[in-house]
């Protein structure tokens, strides 16, 4: 999910229900992600709970106040989430998986 100032994300969330969101386990500690929102994948890797599934759906999706699909841990979200930008390849693929059109990259 891109910046919350980007309104399309607040009613979309497609990338948060398309990919496994994994990270080196210390990133969760460093960012202050609550343990209950993460899952251990391997001795060194964790992921956002709900994203290591055949139909991923991050546990934090829709838990924020900024919109219906706002991230509930926006300030603490892992780097993998921060790297998805509106209109990029991951965004476009995720939206396509959920029947949504691609968004043109903002000028
Ligand atoms: S798929 Fe794109 S528009 Fe939707 S939440 Fe992710 S970055 Fe935002
Ligand atoms: S932590 Fe937030 S931005 Fe990252 S996948 Fe979950 S809902 Fe989306």
């Amino acid at each position: 999910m891109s910046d919350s100032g980007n309104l399309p994300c607040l009613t979309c969330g497609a990338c948060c229900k398309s990919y496994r969101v994994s990270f080196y386990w210390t990133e969760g500690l460093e960012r202050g992600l609550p343990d209950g929102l993460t899952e251990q994948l391997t001795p060194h890797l964790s992921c956002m709970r709900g994203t290591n599934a055949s139909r991923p759906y991050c546990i934090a999706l829709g838990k924020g106040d900024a919109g219906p699909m706002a991230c509930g841990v926006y300030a603490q979200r892992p780097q993998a989430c921060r790297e998805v930008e509106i209109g990029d390849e991951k965004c476009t693929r995720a939206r396509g998986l959920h029947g949504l059109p691609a968004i043109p990259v903002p000028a």
Side-chain angles (χ1 to χ4, degrees), residues 1-2 6 8-10 12-16 84-88 90-92 94-95 103:
M1 183 171 286
S2 191
N6 289 316
C9 295
L10 301 178
C12 172
C15 55
C16 312
V84 183
E85 294 286 349
I86 289 176
D88 74 5
K90 282 189 104 172
C91 169
T92 299
R95 285 178 60 87
I103 299 177

Side-chain angles (χ1 to χ4, degrees), residues 42-60:
T42 71
H44 301 294
L45 276 184
S46 296
C47 70
M48 289 305 296
R49 188 171 294 279
T51 66
N52 186 35
S54 55
R55 298 174 127 186
Y57 198 109
C58 179
I59 192 173

Side-chain angles (χ1 to χ4, degrees), residues 89-107:
E89 191 254 335
K90 282 189 104 172
C91 169
T92 299
R93 183 151 35 102
R95 285 178 60 87
L97 285 172
H98 294 278
L100 297 168
I103 299 177
V105 177

Side-chain angles (χ1 to χ4, degrees), residues 1 16 21 48 58 60-61 71 73 77 81:
M1 183 171 286
C16 312
V21 178
M48 289 305 296
C58 179
L61 182 60
C71 173
V73 287
R77 73 199 195 289
C81 307

